[in-house]
Amino acid sequence: MINPTSRQITALKVLIFVLALLPFARLVAFAFLDRLGANPVEFITRNTGDWTLYFLCMTLAVTPLRKFSKWNWLIKFRRMIGLFAFFYATLHFTTFLWFDHFFDVQEMWKDVLKRPFITVGFIAFMLLIPLAVTSTNGMVRRLGGKRWLWIHRLVYLIAPLGILHYFWMKAGKHDFAQPFLYGAIVALLLALRLVWRWQGKRVRPQAA
């Protein structure tokens, strides 16, 4: 699909939307079927956290895929994928606030300040909020392209913080395989951007 029509783009958006909701639907189904395991809170927390990280990686992967494939239309899906990263991050945080602390904000703050991996995860979630709030076309117009772009570059900080949160969480069980895997993916996706930025700086003086 080199140059999809607007109808095909819309169909793909619907498909991505439905597929992105499947992990949430699975959690709901498991809850009704009593299949969340011996520790349902841990199951939900890990599952929503994992999918937050998956969607963050997918969001970062859109631009490299677009550049390598020359399919510029892929950029039309980045906003939706990014918003699903925020959706699952919100579920992840809500699970922590609700089931771990029963909406006791004071106790939650104690936990955030006491445990570094929660501190890092909380910071990453807070940084996601302005990205979600400013994701509309109207906000792009109000902020201006440059200011909007600087805000959305926060994702380059959020993704490493998410990896660090994941790494510290797994450290207690000495399970580092997945954190290293996703850390390598994020490192590669960010390194590609640095290379392209450096190449762009070299080309501009030559063109001048």
Side-chain angles (χ1 to χ4, degrees):
M1 192 180 297
I2 298 175
N3 292 304
T5 64
S6 59
R7 184 174 294 182
Q8 289 173 323
I9 291 290
T10 301
L12 283 172
K13 283 185 176 181
V14 172
L15 178 62
I16 291 170
F17 186 87
V18 172
L19 290 175
L21 280 176
L22 287 181
F24 175 67
R26 176 175 175 267
L27 276 179
V28 173
F30 275 24
F32 277 107
L33 296 172
D34 195 20
R35 292 182 56 189
L36 293 176
N39 191 339
V41 175
E42 182 179 359
F43 186 93
I44 296 170
T45 302
R46 297 291 172 87
N47 192 267
T48 53
D50 287 348
W51 278 102
T52 301
L53 193 55
Y54 300 158
F55 278 105
L56 275 175
C57 289
M58 285 187 274
T59 303
L60 289 172
V62 170
T63 295
L65 284 174
R66 179 177 64 86
K67 282 183 174 288
F68 288 129
S69 66
K70 307 299 182 185
W71 292 351
N72 291 326
W73 49 269
L74 288 173
I75 204 71
K76 296 180 182 292
F77 306 107
R78 186 171 61 183
R79 180 188 303 177
M80 181 188 294
I81 296 170
L83 285 172
F84 269 108
F86 178 70
F87 172 70
Y88 283 102
T90 302
L91 291 178
H92 186 65
F93 174 72
T94 302
T95 302
F96 167 69
L97 179 60
W98 185 359
F99 297 113
D100 281 351
H101 298 289
F102 300 100
F103 295 104
D104 188 331
V105 177
Q106 186 174 358
E107 285 301 315
M108 181 206 74
W109 271 114
K110 288 180 182 178
D111 214 7
V112 168
L113 297 174
K114 181 180 178 181
R115 294 195 280 179
F117 89 93
I118 295 180
T119 306
V120 169
F122 182 77
I123 293 170
F125 177 65
M126 289 294 104
L127 291 176
L128 269 174
I129 294 174
L131 271 67
V133 171
T134 60
S135 64
T136 63
N137 292 331
M139 288 303 297
V140 177
R141 290 191 296 271
R142 288 174 195 163
L143 292 170
K146 287 186 177 180
R147 191 179 300 172
W148 182 89
L149 184 61
W150 275 108
I151 291 173
H152 282 255
R153 281 176 176 165
L154 285 173
V155 73
Y156 302 148
L157 176 60
I158 292 166
L161 286 175
I163 295 294
L164 183 59
H165 171 70
Y166 193 43
F167 181 87
W168 272 343
M169 186 187 69
K170 290 283 191 177
K173 296 184 177 180
H174 302 284
D175 181 9
F176 300 109
Q178 284 188 313
F180 278 130
L181 172 61
Y182 289 102
I185 292 171
V186 168
L188 175 62
L189 294 172
L190 296 182
L192 285 171
R193 285 167 166 81
L194 288 175
V195 170
W196 290 326
R197 187 175 179 83
W198 176 71
Q199 289 176 339
K201 286 183 177 180
R202 289 188 63 192
V203 169
R204 279 195 293 271
Q206 292 173 4

